[in-house]
Amino acid sequence: MFKKILIANRGEIACRVIRTARRMGIETVAVYSEADTNALHVSQADDAAFIGPSPANQSYLKMENVMEAIRRKSIDAVHPGYGFLSENAGFARALRNEGVVFIGPSVEAIESMGDKIESKKLAQAAGVSTVPGYLGVIADPKEATKIAEQIGFPVMLKAAAGGGGKGMRIVRSAKEVEQAFTSASNEAKNSFGDARVFIEKFIEKPRHIEIQILADKHGTVLCLGERECSIQRHNQKVIEEAPSPFIDEATRAKMYAESVALVRKVGYYSAGTIEYIVDQNKNFYFLEMNTRLQVEHPVTEYITGLDLVEWMIRIALGEKLPFKQEDIVLKGSAIECRVYAEDPSRGFLPSSGRLVTYQEPKTSPNVRVDTGVYAGGEVSQFYDAMISKLITYGPTRAEAIDRMHAALGEYVIAGISHNISFLEALISHPKFKEGDISTNFIAQHWPGGFSGATLDEWSKKVMLAIGAFAYLKDARRAASISGQAKGRPRQIGTRWVVGVDEEFFPIDTHETKFGMVITHNSRQINLITEWVLGSTLFQGVIDDRIINAKIHYTPGGFQIDYSGASCRVTVRTPRVAELGKFMPATELRAKPMHLTSPIAGKMVALKCNVGDKVKAGEELAIIEAMKMENVIYSEHDVTIKKIHVKNGDSLMSGQVVMDFG
Ligand code: ADP
Ligand code: ADP
Ligand code: MG
């Protein structure tokens, strides 16, 4: 067994690897940059090595620094996690030259699968079906147009060195080719230092389904089922599940056979994933092979009962896999939600900052949270904006979804933008529940971005009950401390008008020992709760259904988040509510006078000029941050009065970019 391993990564995946290594009795060494001095993975490891300044290319991506730490700490083996150096053949080679074990595949396997053009050629040679396209580097927009016309639009331009959904553009007509080619190759050059681009057919409304494999150095190759990762935004995965609700036994068997053929062709060992795009008729086409542990591996761990990190370590040690394909039994259903620090209402713009509140749902054998953050800690602007992965398991897909719904409801994050409400809306969507999904799902159902789920009757009832209960709790506390004789609180009425956004409900309240009974239109709503004033998480039972919601104080009312919806809830006496009708409606979201940069980054393209009238939803600018181009849309109809920056300028978060007139 290894004595000491170094984890050449950060965040949740470093913590994840440490957990298994510790269980196996292996000492762990973390690496960290300046920004990560107080990070969770550093405190969880037995030892840690500083590897440089915050930007990844000066620390986590800087091979010399990582190698120096490996020498200094006398390391036996290195686990690379995902991202960073995990698919860098040069890193695996450097380790081999030092006599340190790389917990992953061979240098040659990484090399042959690391390039999307080369890997597609190899896949074809192994008899794997690939997406129709042209297997070569495209020189310029002219050649791109010619080939695209041969293949037939729509096509997809892709970076040969691509990853993380970057460096790819859909092109629907000849006139879009030039711009798409330039931006795809620029993004590829910035992200991967390699501008090469190729073309393949764009498959409409496909599903992304991938096969997890595990292979040892002795010729055993096992398939551990598939994962469906069709719920994506910007070609990046958001929700993954295993098994796929779309795949039948026969298709699975075919996907297994082709995956095994490819694995054997490249002499692959360790854990790896072969990604396919699957069309409506269950035809599947090879996309790429990821020669590393995948972000969404926990769903596979749930349905197979295997610890993939443990088997990567054992395979790296030269152990033989003690199972056969027949021993791999897929049991139940698991779902993973990626909890991101981002704003779903603003084009999923990444956010960063301090986690003022961070409260995870109760974990259990059926609920797992993989994270690298803690309450009071920071989500850094330097790295991927993933806060955590929330994974749930159930004997059936419906039960896994129900558990996910409850767990998301219990998850409290404040201080930065996050996508929890959006995830709640996603998994509650009837089409998602039916398994009727594609990679187009988010764009199709939320074309203008997500700004809260629409309220159904049940959610209104929940909002109303929570608002009334919280208001009365608060009123009672205020009465008892307002100088009245002890034990004789001021009279508090029982008739109210509750406003849920713009709708108003007259109610009667009756407080009970365990909660409250609310009468509205001679119907009763029965709330049972142990909620205490001041806590954000509101848990209870309403009419026999368990509810998890979040409540925040706002001037003159509450904001309540429940099941993807977010409402402003007010509670007034009937008289005050009546008077309120005569008050001028205040604009809830006042028009801003400036555009401030929502992130630190670089101004790539201003999309407007002084004097332009820009409508809500139209583009104002493109800001590059975290190597991604982020489009900034106008939230209101505005006129551009002044522009303070020019293309190429660096921007600080919060910096004024333009004034509106
Ligand atoms: P996986 O293939 O494991 O499911 P993804 O496809 O989401 O993971 O991402 C592929 C790789 O790109 C991962 O190793 C991840 O670390 C990295 N990655 C994902 N999103 C980003 C991002 N926004 N910026 C930088 N790297 C990213
Ligand atoms: P990455 O290395 O960034 O993960 P992939 O080739 O795996 O790149 O593609 C990422 C996602 O982009 C896929 O999951 C899919 O949603 C979409 N995609 C890629 N190629 C195609 C294609 N030819 N047609 C339709 N969608 C595609
Ligand atoms: Mg991929």
Side-chain angles (χ1 to χ4, degrees), residues 116 131 156 158 162-166 168 200-204 206 208 229 232 235-237 275 277 287-288 290 439:
K116 287 194 174 163
V131 185
M156 196 146 189
K158 288 170 101 166
K166 282 181 285 179
M168 66 177 64
E200 62 188 24
K201 182 84 190 151
F202 178 71
I203 313 280
E204 298 276 3
H208 174 118
C229 319
Q232 306 184 347
N235 299 313
Q236 288 178 345
K237 301 158 185 170
E275 297 190 330
I277 198 118
L287 266 185
E288 63 163 344
N290 290 326
T439 58

Side-chain angles (χ1 to χ4, degrees), residues 577-589:
E578 190 60 29
L579 290 173
K581 281 188 189 161
F582 303 107
M583 307 246 268
T586 48
E587 211 176 320
L588 278 177
R589 274 223 259 176

Side-chain angles (χ1 to χ4, degrees), residues 249-261:
E249 276 303 330
T251 311
R252 182 178 295 131
K254 276 194 264 172
M255 294 180 85
Y256 273 18
E258 295 197 8
S259 303
V260 171

Side-chain angles (χ1 to χ4, degrees), residues 144-206:
T145 311
K146 204 181 92 200
I147 294 170
E149 271 162 358
Q150 280 163 12
I151 299 171
F153 291 102
V155 297
M156 196 146 189
L157 286 175
K158 288 170 101 166
K166 282 181 285 179
M168 66 177 64
R169 296 287 182 280
I170 303 171
V171 190
R172 296 196 176 272
S173 69
K175 65 175 194 293
E176 292 172 20
V177 173
E178 174 139 13
Q179 220 232 311
F181 182 88
T182 313
S183 62
S185 53
N186 281 349
E187 196 170 286
K189 187 146 185 271
N190 286 336
S191 307
F192 317 111
D194 180 345
R196 289 175 309 132
V197 167
F198 70 106
I199 297 188
E200 62 188 24
K201 182 84 190 151
F202 178 71
I203 313 280
E204 298 276 3
K205 296 202 176 163

Side-chain angles (χ1 to χ4, degrees), residues 5-21 28 30 40-41 44 60 79-84 86 292-298 301 307-309 312 336 368-373 384 386-389:
I5 67 171
L6 179 137
I7 298 118
N9 216 299
R10 63 177 301 283
E12 67 88 15
I13 197 61
C15 298
R16 158 74 191 89
V17 174
I18 290 168
R19 203 162 60 226
T20 290
T28 54
L40 194 63
H41 73 281
Q44 287 188 348
Y60 296 104
H79 196 297
Y82 55 74
F84 299 129
S86 63
R292 55 172 163 86
L293 186 64
Q294 201 105 345
V295 177
E296 59 274 21
H297 73 280
E301 297 190 320
D307 179 330
L308 289 182
V309 173
M312 286 179 84
E336 171 179 286
R368 165 173 167 182
V369 184
D370 280 15
T371 190
V373 302
D384 200 42
M386 195 166 78
I387 299 172
S388 73
K389 304 184 307 206

Side-chain angles (χ1 to χ4, degrees), residues 200-243:
E200 62 188 24
K201 182 84 190 151
F202 178 71
I203 313 280
E204 298 276 3
K205 296 202 176 163
R207 303 175 74 124
H208 174 118
I209 298 174
E210 56 190 34
I211 302 291
Q212 173 71 53
I213 64 98
L214 202 56
D216 64 18
K217 296 177 181 173
H218 310 277
T220 302
V221 181
L222 300 174
C223 294
L224 308 188
E226 77 282 356
R227 291 183 289 257
E228 170 146 13
C229 319
S230 297
I231 306 294
Q232 306 184 347
R233 50 114 185 77
H234 302 325
N235 299 313
Q236 288 178 345
K237 301 158 185 170
V238 181
I239 296 181
E240 302 102 336
E241 57 182 307

Side-chain angles (χ1 to χ4, degrees), residues 77-100:
V78 172
H79 196 297
Y82 55 74
F84 299 129
L85 298 172
S86 63
E87 292 178 278
N88 184 318
F91 182 55
R93 184 176 293 111
L95 290 173
R96 186 159 76 183
N97 294 342
E98 293 273 336
V100 176

